[in-house]
Amino acid sequence: MASEAPQKIAILSVYNKTGLLDLAKGLVKQNVRLLASGGTSKLIKEAGFPVEDVSAITKAPEMLSGRVKTLHPAVHAGILARDLASDEKDLADQNISKVDYVICNLYPFKDTIAKVNVTIPEAVEEIDIGGVTLLRAAAKNHSRVTILSDPEDYHEFLKELEKGEVTEKSRQHYALKAFTHTADYDSAISEFFRRKYAGEGEQQLTLRYGANPHQKPASAYVTEGKLPFKALAGSPGYINLLDALNAWQLVKELDAALDYPAAASFKHVSPAGAAIGVPLTSDERKVYMVDDIAGIENSGLAQAYARARGADRMSSFGDVIALSREVDQATAKIISREVSDGVVAPGYTKEALELLTKKKGGKYLVLQMDADYVPPPHETRTLFGVNLTQHRNDAAISPQNTFNSIVVPKDSAPLPESAQRDLTVATIALKFTQSNSVCYALNGQVIGLGAGQQSRIHCTRLAGDKADNWWMRFHERALNIKWKQGTKRPEKSNAIDMLCAGLTPENELEKADYERVFDDVPAPFTAEERKAWLAKLGEVAVSSDAFFPFTDNVFRASRSGVKYIAAPLGSQNDQACFEVAEKLGITYVEQHLRLFHH
């Protein structure tokens, strides 16, 4: 005669006792032996259901004021045992029975630390040890054991139990919940103690506030190792770090791809400008307002930042700066007199640091980046309580490997080095620009960038208009403006922008405000003058972070001197775009990477 199957065993240890008595009733109905600890056992007994204390199998009392209840081989061997002969022998030798169901949830650590002025000893007492061990052990062995950590699951569990068994799919679902429960619990504990014990600036950094002043508290932290940067001066805000960390990646990749010092000017998580240290002409020095910077001709980094800042001075106002190499005195001199929020670089000379730490009365943000830091391969962000994770965009862009698939003209010679360089600058800039985005580049620098537009053509127009504005600043009339003494640099930038964009005011009040900065008011550009000057702009490179869906993008790019276009393929209108480009004398290159960034 076959031996009767052993009675099933459940261990119950819960802080949240919602639904506990209904669950106990259902388990007893199915002839499950109940073992429970502490308050869980007390509540079930008072309700009149048969239950034993866990000590019935551990042969040891609860101790240390309840800190030790379930931590015992009789409990955990019973949970972790598999249906293996060797495990069965071990259990038999120690007279231990298998555990089939574990019902457990944890002390309210999050609720405790949310209280005002909670102390460390108070928080420590809410760190569950036995419960986490029960959850993890049962979840680990979920091929045999059912783990319930959420009272919402009790009803469906009992329905399955009444039918005879808990399905494998349900055990998997419950195990995932248990692992998630312990992970969330551990994260709350580590975050609490990180705030208490981690050295400020080592593993975490308290931020002034989040994206807006009312979004407090805010912090930056890493869960392993140290933060890859340190603040040498000033205190960063949330958006400062979004700009700094994106900008740093951009300049690091530009430097690696082209072997030139690189600079970026970032505003609101997109580059206002980016460039490498190609030597400046005398006109460029005037346009970028650096013709009086001593030693600039000997500093590739200073020339890179002059280009990055100077391409779109209006957008760069109040920027965060990224520099790929040690900051020298000439570069610091440019930074010191411009309106910006901060700078990130791998290092600073003594003279440069002295200049920068005096800016804003010592409150100017100066970040030093660990140039050897390599981030984890995956990145996670939380939006509206939902966690999103993806592989970090570590695609490498280089002139040698990214721009060698020329679509038209079919018999085209390889791209000249200058075109490869400029397409590299434009494409790496797009990698860190809010999408949709299109970028125009020339002379190793961004000259026009359209970021974050819902329509591709609006990106192309916005970037093209900026490129046109940039080029108009090289017109003799813009180069030779006579300013009234005492006119500030931002006022000059604004007046030049209005002149070159064809936006000189007609309203008398606004016109008076515009004209007050000039000793000799420059005449507005006529349509014919603009057309004639813009016709001299050429050899411009354009890159797009996704395909051009219509030919209007190609037509618009051509009006700003574009000679080279790089874009991913995949549009139904690819062929039409190719044909238009070829007729306009534009070389069209397939860029194999879509580079959306959000």
Side-chain angles (χ1 to χ4, degrees), residues 59-221:
K59 310 303 181 186
E62 292 186 11
M63 61 184 72
L64 306 181
S65 302
R67 281 192 167 195
V68 177
K69 297 189 283 276
T70 59
L71 296 170
H72 195 280
V75 172
H76 290 287
I79 295 172
L80 288 165
R82 298 154 293 183
D83 293 325
L84 300 176
S86 58
D87 285 8
E88 300 281 2
K89 181 179 183 305
D90 286 343
L91 293 182
D93 289 346
Q94 301 299 323
N95 195 27
I96 294 173
S97 299
K98 285 182 178 177
V99 174
D100 303 280
Y101 313 108
V102 175
I103 297 88
C104 182
N105 54 62
L106 305 174
Y107 295 163
F109 184 82
K110 283 186 175 181
D111 293 342
T112 298
I113 62 173
K115 295 175 183 176
V116 177
N117 297 325
V118 64
T119 66
I120 290 177
E122 287 171 336
V124 164
E125 286 308 310
E126 298 302 334
I127 298 176
D128 205 320
I129 304 301
V132 171
T133 311
L134 286 173
L135 285 166
R136 186 159 285 139
K140 174 176 180 175
N141 205 29
H142 67 271
S143 61
R144 183 183 68 78
V145 178
T146 301
I147 171 66
L148 295 172
S149 60
D150 183 355
E152 293 290 328
D153 293 326
Y154 294 171
H155 180 68
E156 290 301 319
F157 162 73
L158 288 175
K159 282 175 62 177
E160 283 198 334
L161 199 61
E162 289 170 2
K163 294 177 181 178
E165 65 174 344
V166 181
T167 65
E168 180 182 21
K169 182 177 180 180
S170 292
R171 291 197 309 274
Q172 292 171 350
H173 173 66
Y174 299 147
L176 173 59
K177 274 196 166 183
F179 284 131
T180 303
H181 189 30
T182 58
D184 180 64
Y185 194 75
D186 286 341
S187 293
I189 293 171
S190 63
E191 182 177 351
F192 175 79
F193 284 101
R194 186 185 305 111
R195 293 199 305 267
K196 298 293 184 182
Y197 295 158
E200 181 72 10
E202 292 285 325
Q203 194 178 28
Q204 69 158 0
L205 187 65
T206 301
L207 306 180
R208 297 196 310 275
Y209 48 78
N212 297 289
H214 66 275
Q215 291 177 264
K216 296 178 180 179
S219 64
Y221 67 90

Side-chain angles (χ1 to χ4, degrees), residues 5-48:
Q7 184 181 20
K8 300 283 189 178
I9 295 176
I11 289 181
L12 302 93
S13 180
V14 296
Y15 178 86
N16 179 359
K17 296 178 175 59
T18 302
L20 176 63
L21 296 182
D22 288 337
L23 176 66
K25 180 180 179 180
L27 288 169
V28 170
K29 185 178 179 181
Q30 297 303 315
N31 192 34
V32 176
R33 180 187 180 190
L34 306 188
L35 299 169
S37 65
T40 306
S41 177
K42 183 174 182 290
L43 185 64
I44 296 173
K45 283 179 182 176
E46 289 175 347

Side-chain angles (χ1 to χ4, degrees), residues 325-365:
R325 300 186 187 180
E326 182 182 62
V327 180
D328 55 26
Q329 190 171 14
T331 308
K333 180 65 177 175
I334 301 173
I335 297 170
S336 69
R337 66 188 193 180
E338 299 288 7
V339 176
S340 70
D341 284 348
V343 58
V344 58
Y348 303 84
T349 66
K350 180 182 177 181
E351 297 79 9
L353 193 57
E354 284 179 356
L355 274 172
L356 296 173
T357 52
K358 291 176 183 176
K359 191 173 173 66
K360 291 187 176 180
K363 295 182 179 180
Y364 185 67
L365 179 61

Side-chain angles (χ1 to χ4, degrees), residues 210-410:
N212 297 289
H214 66 275
Q215 291 177 264
K216 296 178 180 179
S219 64
Y221 67 90
V222 291
T223 56
E224 295 181 9
K226 296 181 179 180
L227 286 168
F229 60 85
K230 56 184 177 181
L232 304 183
S235 177
Y238 185 90
I239 294 177
N240 290 153
L241 284 186
L242 290 179
D243 283 339
L245 295 175
N246 274 288
W248 167 253
Q249 294 177 80
L250 193 165
V251 298
K252 184 178 182 181
E253 292 192 22
L254 269 184
D255 196 320
L258 297 170
D259 197 24
Y260 273 85
S265 168
F266 248 69
K267 281 285 296 292
H268 294 292
V269 206
S270 282
I276 57 173
V278 175
L280 295 166
T281 65
S282 58
D283 280 353
E284 285 173 331
R285 291 189 198 182
K286 289 182 69 175
V287 167
Y288 302 149
M289 299 185 183
V290 294
D291 50 331
D292 60 340
I293 296 291
I296 191 171
E297 68 279 0
N298 299 317
S299 172
L301 192 68
Q303 294 180 88
Y305 181 58
R307 289 183 179 281
R309 171 81 187 202
D312 184 357
R313 290 186 58 83
M314 298 295 288
S315 296
S316 288
F317 184 85
D319 60 348
V320 168
I321 303 156
L323 302 160
S324 67
R325 300 186 187 180
E326 182 182 62
V327 180
D328 55 26
Q329 190 171 14
T331 308
K333 180 65 177 175
I334 301 173
I335 297 170
S336 69
R337 66 188 193 180
E338 299 288 7
V339 176
S340 70
D341 284 348
V343 58
V344 58
Y348 303 84
T349 66
K350 180 182 177 181
E351 297 79 9
L353 193 57
E354 284 179 356
L355 274 172
L356 296 173
T357 52
K358 291 176 183 176
K359 191 173 173 66
K360 291 187 176 180
K363 295 182 179 180
Y364 185 67
L365 179 61
V366 180
L367 297 176
Q368 183 169 351
M369 191 74 190
D370 177 1
D372 297 323
Y373 171 73
V374 177
H378 289 88
E379 55 192 13
T380 303
R381 66 186 295 185
T382 301
L383 180 64
F384 201 57
V386 177
N387 295 317
L388 305 174
T389 184
Q390 65 175 352
H391 188 89
R392 185 172 63 86
N393 187 357
D394 55 7
I397 296 161
S398 69
Q400 298 81 14
N401 301 323
T402 309
F403 308 106
N404 47 21
S405 297
I406 297 174
V407 180
V408 292
K410 296 190 184 305

